[in-house]
């Protein structure tokens, strides 16, 4: 039943009706009517961030870890523009976010009024959809549509720009019922004839590989369960993108590890030499394919994706299946079982043996040290001491992000939150805050770099205010590590502005905010320090001082094929600088 209320009341009522219990925001003049309504209710909890970019990333972390829509509320002008990085990040990584922005009154739009900007114009290309609501009569419909668009099909961010006079105006509000969008109707169920063809191709394959991405996780927990069952039934090897980690367990017998620019030797070579690639919920981005004209040249390719525009966008495929990953996987499992399908075993066993040869390279190995903490070792110890503790991991962006993906092993979906497509430094801490609010009793760790963490360090104040025990595990090598690595390997060792000068004392910085600070220099002290971090009941900044010149391998250099990888030199005469010896083919000696 509809009832009359103000536009501001409609906003809050819609949040309640769509099950929103946590709202990230920062007040300002153009949204004060909404904030006034928030003050008079207790259903929706508002979390005050310290920067609007932090609100967007926190909403992303909340959404990615919970499967719900993340919501933020900001004012007009700079409030709205400060969200653009987070909105673009959510668009690139397909995260469902609704961003409500205030706007100057309708009669002032276009007059360069105080804190006015063209929010719809600015966010048009970094959102899935956006709205400027000029009449309170449209507000109810737009609010419900926004949640539908953000969460259905390929998820993504939606902006609702609401002028201040529309927030004061009165209109009719109705609860959501059979919500849809007149032009947006994503296809969930795929063509069964195409699925049958895909299953037949799978049964005929001699060197198959599953290539999975974040779309499997976005489809919901059932999709990950079905993926695991399909891998078990077929016995096919499986790899994953950065965003897809956890959909298949890292302990699974068919797991190849992550693929791509810093993926494993076995995963990238399996992708290159396979005769059938089954891509599910992945988009063939450049960090996976390397040089496009050399990408898996001998394989047939099946692509399952809910986003029709992703099909044949980067790589031409042989069979395209448009539909929700979960629906397609369910049909594949059902067909494989009901028709007693199986792949020919001798070729499949030979394929597994070849993969074992690649795996024997131990491409993630590194030179250990008893005097200096190696960053890979730090992540390994963090994993060993936190596994089984209901842990969630976020990251910033850089070498530490790749080491986390390589050495922290995820068994379940929605446990790994990182910025994949946009590569946003500063993502991890606010995302961890969002995750902690979604899972208040869980252990939430942001694996960070000393450069990235400073991008949104102000959000530590948010963690303090709301007593959120997020742990920030900083791999401090005093460099923008990935930039330094590229400069070493590709720019003659000219380290142009990549040294992190004038760093704060992270222990004192933590204490200044009211958090706990911990510093560790030596491998022998690391376990005890990590346990101290875990056991502390509040926020922690952990300054883990690691080897400064360590490089992240494997690595596909820019412009190279995806099987043309640099591997770490582990020979006895290797120095600390692992990027020093490259053979004539551009591969590191192993």
């Amino acid at each position: 039943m509809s009832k009359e209320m103000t536009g501001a009341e409609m906003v809050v009522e819609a949040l309640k009706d769509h099950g929103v219990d946590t709202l990230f925001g920062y007040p300002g003049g153009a949204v004060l009517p909404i904030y006034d309504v928030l003050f008079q209710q207790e259903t929706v909890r508002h979390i005050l961030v310290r920067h609007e970019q932090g609100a967007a990333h926190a909403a992303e972390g909340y959404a990615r870890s919970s499967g719900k829509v993340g919501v933020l509320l900001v004012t007009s002008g700079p409030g709205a523009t400060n969200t653009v990085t987070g909105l673009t990040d959510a668009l690139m990584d397909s995260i469902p976010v609704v961003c409500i922005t205030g706007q100057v009154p309708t009669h002032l739009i276009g007059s360069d009024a105080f804190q006015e900007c063209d929010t719809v114009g600015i966010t048009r290309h970094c959102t899935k959809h956006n709205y400027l609501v000029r009449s309170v009569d449209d507000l109810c419909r737009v609010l419900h549509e926004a949640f539908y668009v953000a969460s259905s099909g390929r998820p993504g961010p939606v902006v609702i720009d609401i002028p201040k006079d529309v927030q004061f105006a009165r209109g009719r509000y109705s609860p959501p019922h059979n919500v849809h969008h007149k032009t947006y109707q994503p296809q969930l169920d795929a063509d069964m004839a195409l699925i049958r063809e895909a299953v037949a191709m799978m049964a005929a394959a001699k060197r198959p590989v599953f290539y999975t991405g974040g779309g499997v996780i976005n489809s919901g927990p059932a999709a990950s369960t079905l993926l695991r069952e399909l891998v078990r039934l077929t016995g096919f090897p499986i790899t994953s993108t950065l965003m897809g980690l956890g959909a298949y367990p890292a302990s699974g017998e068919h797991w190849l590890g992550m693929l791509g620019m810093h993926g494993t030797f076995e995963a990238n070579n399996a992708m290159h030499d396979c005769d059938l690639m089954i891509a599910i919920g992945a988009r063939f981005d450049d960090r996976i394919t390397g040089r496009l004209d050399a990408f898996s040249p001998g394989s047939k390719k099946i692509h399952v994706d809910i986003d029709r525009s992703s099909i044949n966008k980067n790589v031409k495929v042989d069979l395209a299946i448009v539909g929700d990953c979960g629906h397609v996987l369910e049909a594949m499992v059902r067909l494989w079982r009901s028709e007693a399908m199986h792949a020919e075993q001798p070729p499949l066993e030979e394929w597994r043996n070849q993969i074992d040869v690649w795996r024997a390279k131990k491409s993630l190995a590194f030179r250990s040290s008893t005097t200096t903490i190696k960053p890979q070792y730090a992540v390994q110890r963090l994993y060993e001491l936190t596994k089984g503790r209901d842990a969630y991991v976020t990251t910033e962006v850089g070498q530490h992000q790749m080491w986390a993906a390589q050495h922290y092993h995820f068994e379940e979906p929605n446990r790994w939150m990182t910025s994949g497509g946009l590569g946003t430094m500063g993502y991890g801490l606010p995302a961890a805050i969002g995750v902690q609010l979604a899972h208040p009793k869980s252990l939430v760790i942001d694996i960070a770099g000393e450069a990235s963490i400073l991008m949104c360090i102000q959000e530590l104040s948010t963690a303090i205010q709301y007593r959120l025990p997020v742990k920030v595990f900083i791999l401090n090598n005093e460099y923008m590590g990935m930039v330094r690595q590229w400069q070493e390997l590709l720019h003659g060792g000219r380290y142009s502005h990549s040294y992190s000068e004038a760093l704060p004392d992270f222990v004192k910085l933590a204490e200044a905010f009211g958090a706990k600070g911990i510093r560790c220099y030596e491998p022998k002290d690391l376990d005890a320090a990590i346990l101290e971090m875990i056991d502390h009941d509040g926020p922690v900044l952990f300054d883990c001082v690691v080897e400064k010149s360590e490089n992240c391998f494997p690595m596909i250099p820019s412009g190279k094929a995806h099987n043309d990888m640099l591997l770490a030199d582990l020979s006895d005469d290797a120095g600390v600088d692992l990027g020093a010896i490259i053979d004539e083919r551009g591969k590191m000696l192993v």
Side-chain angles (χ1 to χ4, degrees), residues 140-155:
C140 175
R141 171 186 60 81
V142 167
L143 288 164
H144 297 328
E145 272 188 16
F147 279 88
Y148 168 77
V149 172
S151 59
S152 63
R154 178 180 177 178

Side-chain angles (χ1 to χ4, degrees), residues 413-424:
N414 303 103
R415 297 287 174 151
W416 164 249
M417 277 59 62
T418 194
S419 174
L422 194 61
T424 307

Side-chain angles (χ1 to χ4, degrees), residues 68-187:
K68 301 177 182 178
V69 176
V71 187
L72 62 150
L73 172 64
V74 300
T75 194
S76 64
T81 59
N82 281 345
T83 67
V84 166
T85 297
L87 293 173
T88 309
D89 193 272
L91 183 69
M92 294 283 280
D93 288 344
S94 305
I95 310 300
V97 168
V98 169
C99 173
I100 301 167
T101 63
Q103 184 55 275
V104 299
T106 52
H107 70 277
L108 290 179
I109 292 177
S111 70
D112 293 332
F114 177 67
Q115 291 194 333
E116 181 197 359
C117 73
D118 179 7
T119 300
V120 167
I122 290 169
T123 63
R124 179 168 288 120
H125 298 292
C126 64
T127 55
K128 187 176 176 182
H129 194 51
N130 61 13
Y131 301 86
L132 170 60
V133 185
R134 290 180 173 270
S135 170
V136 72
D137 295 333
D138 297 324
L139 183 55
C140 175
R141 171 186 60 81
V142 167
L143 288 164
H144 297 328
E145 272 188 16
F147 279 88
Y148 168 77
V149 172
S151 59
S152 63
R154 178 180 177 178
V158 176
V159 164
I160 312 171
D161 197 32
I162 311 175
K164 193 169 184 178
D165 57 323
V166 174
Q167 297 171 42
F168 279 121
R170 300 189 69 83
R172 305 295 298 183
Y173 175 85
S174 300
H177 175 69
N178 193 27
V179 179
H180 66 281
H181 189 280
K182 60 183 178 182
T183 61
Y184 179 64
Q185 299 174 357
Q187 180 179 336

